[in-house]
Amino acid sequence: MKKGMKRFTIMLLAVSLGASLLSGCSSDNQKDGTNGKVKLELFANKPEAASTYKELIKKFEAENPNIDIELNLPPDADTVLKTRLTKNDMPDLMAIGGNATYGEVARAGALKDFSDSELVKKIQPVYIDMIGKLVGPEKKGIFGLPYVANADTVIYNKEKFEKLGVQPPKTWDEFIQIAEKAKAAGETAFYFTLKDAWTALPAWNALAANIVESDFPEKKNAGKASFQDNYGEVVDKMLTLLQYGHKDNFGKGYGDGNTAFAKGQSVMYLQGVWAIPEIKKANPNIQLGVFALPATNNPEQNKLVSGVDVLLSMSKDTKHPKEAMKFIEFMMDEDTAKTYIAEQSAFSTLKGVYQEDPIMEGIKANFANGAIASYPDYYYPAGMQAANLVQEFLIKKDKEKFLKKMDAEWDKVQNR
């Protein structure tokens, strides 16, 4: 009897152990996808790049059949990411903007430090410096790998420039003369899309980066600079540009603008190069060119505003660091980078990987000569909502009130 009981007990233990092992496998599979594959979330902030990401993910998964990448492209990605940070629910992988939100997440200690990675050596140092400034001196490390740079430009219709008999301008006065000439010819010079507040920022940044000293954020925090003292010319020039818009500057959004410009409804479009694929989708035959908005009358002083459009990072606490790193290495491969920049009309941050699209001819010299400035608004406090404030100002046109409000909002966020 004892012997039988013993055998029964052993069998019971074996069954229990088998069940628990199966249960463990099952919960792992639920967590990491099916068939024992490792499942990684790629959190990205550029819905317009969805097709490119999907194509690259497909290629990566074919090369790594044990890894599934799940693309997550939420609306208002910055807000979503900050919310997830507070909930300690960070994505495994991130392809996000090199902006104030990145700085905030990096300072919170949520991202892997890539300081010792060989991949850092592949990147042009100017972009490593840019993201370093976003994090600030209080936290040492490189918490993301700048992947793609963008450019804040004036996109122009080459056929319309030819009809007007004008060339891309080198100075502010030449720029406004072209707008005047367009207006006199019954054309809309600039197609504004100010229903979407953020679309005021390409012009705002192009002006501020060239007119206001680059150390403005540090001086502002030290009480040695202010919007009221330093941004007057920027504000005046924003109002000047607005005079050359269309009848419904605040009723049209970004999507409307891309289509309208593609259909020839304006001579120029104050947008970044990221808009080019959308414009060409709407009109594949349009002849486009780009130039840096000449914010001053000194051609030597005028720079192209460029920043880190996409940086790659990963959660410090991902359960699958090896697999996550494998995906980052795949993205940082030269062939992958070339695919991304060709499809997204962007610029690679990698040494030796160049944008070959002839549309970009007008800004190639800026990259070659280093005549580049960073986005000023990237260094404003993250919670300031600068785009909304600029949009409100352009509607109300009260310069003094607006500049005071910009100072007050900055201080309010900094003092929280």
Side-chain angles (χ1 to χ4, degrees):
M1 187 72 180
K2 283 185 182 174
K3 205 171 184 181
M5 280 296 291
K6 193 173 181 184
R7 192 182 294 119
F8 177 74
T9 306
I10 290 166
M11 282 173 68
L12 195 62
L13 281 168
V15 170
S16 299
L17 183 60
S20 70
L21 283 170
L22 281 169
S23 153
C25 290
S26 164
S27 68
D28 279 351
N29 285 344
Q30 270 189 325
K31 186 175 63 196
D32 288 333
T34 55
N35 304 326
K37 289 186 180 184
V38 168
K39 186 177 176 183
L40 298 173
E41 178 192 356
L42 171 61
F43 181 98
N45 71 327
K46 291 182 71 64
E48 61 268 40
S51 59
T52 302
Y53 281 128
K54 283 173 187 172
E55 180 189 317
L56 294 175
I57 286 168
K58 201 173 171 183
K59 188 182 176 195
F60 174 79
E61 288 178 342
E63 293 171 11
N64 299 274
N66 64 317
I67 304 172
D68 271 344
I69 305 288
E70 187 181 278
L71 179 63
N72 181 10
L73 277 161
D76 199 7
D78 280 13
T79 304
V80 173
L81 191 62
K82 285 191 276 190
T83 304
R84 288 184 63 169
L85 174 67
T86 61
K87 292 180 176 177
N88 200 23
D89 173 35
M90 292 297 287
D92 302 289
L93 290 158
M94 283 150 275
I96 56 175
N99 57 17
T101 298
Y102 158 74
E104 195 176 313
V105 175
R107 281 193 299 276
L111 305 177
K112 175 185 164 61
D113 186 355
F114 293 91
S115 299
D116 297 329
S117 171
E118 287 296 308
L119 295 174
V120 173
K121 294 174 186 172
K122 295 177 78 169
I123 300 165
Q124 294 179 46
V126 63
Y127 294 109
I128 295 288
D129 292 344
M130 277 184 193
I131 66 162
K133 284 178 186 169
L134 290 165
V135 179
E138 63 268 28
K139 192 162 183 72
K140 302 292 178 195
I142 299 168
F143 303 98
L145 299 169
Y147 184 58
V148 174
N150 53 28
D152 187 345
T153 59
V154 180
I155 305 171
Y156 69 98
N157 185 316
K158 283 187 170 182
E159 288 177 18
K160 288 185 183 289
F161 260 45
E162 208 172 299
K163 279 182 189 168
L164 292 171
V166 295
Q167 295 290 324
K170 300 290 181 197
T171 67
W172 171 259
D173 286 349
E174 287 173 11
F175 185 44
I176 296 305
Q177 279 162 19
I178 293 171
E180 279 287 351
K181 207 164 188 181
K183 198 173 183 178
E187 293 269 16
T188 296
F190 308 116
Y191 201 95
F192 287 103
T193 56
L194 294 165
K195 183 179 179 182
D196 291 330
W198 72 268
T199 65
L201 292 179
W204 174 269
N205 280 320
L207 292 167
N210 287 291
I211 292 167
V212 182
E213 293 295 325
S214 62
D215 61 356
F216 174 82
E218 292 86 353
K219 285 185 173 173
K220 168 73 181 142
N221 286 331
K224 294 177 180 174
S226 69
F227 283 95
Q228 291 167 80
D229 291 339
N230 300 86
Y231 267 77
E233 187 183 341
V234 173
V235 167
D236 290 340
K237 286 181 171 175
M238 285 293 288
L239 289 176
T240 299
L241 294 174
L242 201 60
Q243 292 171 28
Y244 300 98
H246 51 95
K247 287 175 184 172
D248 196 12
N249 291 328
F250 299 95
K252 303 294 183 185
Y254 176 61
D256 304 316
N258 292 338
T259 305
F261 183 70
K263 288 179 178 174
Q265 289 179 28
S266 76
V267 176
M268 293 173 278
Y269 192 36
L270 305 173
Q271 259 303 348
V273 292
W274 52 82
I276 291 170
E278 296 301 310
I279 294 164
K280 294 196 81 178
K281 251 186 235 173
N283 179 3
N285 300 316
I286 192 167
Q287 299 297 304
L288 298 176
V290 295
F291 58 86
L293 190 157
T296 77
N297 281 324
N298 179 359
E300 302 301 312
Q301 187 183 320
N302 293 329
K303 292 181 177 178
L304 174 74
V305 174
S306 173
V308 178
D309 196 35
V310 177
L311 65 77
L312 302 171
S313 192
M314 58 191 268
S315 166
K316 181 173 63 70
D317 300 319
T318 176
K319 288 172 182 164
H320 303 289
K322 198 165 75 175
E323 290 84 356
M325 197 64 196
K326 207 168 205 180
F327 181 75
I328 287 178
E329 284 165 355
F330 164 80
M331 290 294 286
M332 294 288 284
D333 177 77
E334 281 191 19
D335 288 338
T336 310
K338 282 175 184 171
T339 299
Y340 188 100
I341 64 168
E343 291 188 10
Q344 292 301 314
S345 297
F347 296 85
S348 176
T349 62
L350 304 185
K351 296 169 186 171
V353 179
Y354 302 109
Q355 174 57 263
E356 302 298 339
D357 189 336
I359 290 172
M360 305 299 181
E361 198 57 48
I363 55 175
K364 276 184 178 175
N366 291 84
F367 285 98
N369 306 332
I372 285 171
S374 191
Y375 285 83
D377 75 309
Y378 279 15
Y379 303 93
Y380 298 171
M384 191 176 157
Q385 304 294 332
N388 295 340
L389 298 174
V390 174
Q391 180 197 47
E392 182 187 36
F393 157 67
L394 292 172
I395 294 167
K396 295 180 178 174
K397 300 180 177 58
D398 189 331
K399 176 182 174 181
E400 194 179 326
K401 191 175 178 182
F402 165 66
L403 290 171
K404 277 183 183 171
K405 193 167 185 179
M406 288 289 277
D407 280 322
E409 288 299 316
W410 180 300
D411 296 340
K412 188 166 79 181
V413 175
Q414 287 295 85
N415 295 330
R416 270 178 197 161

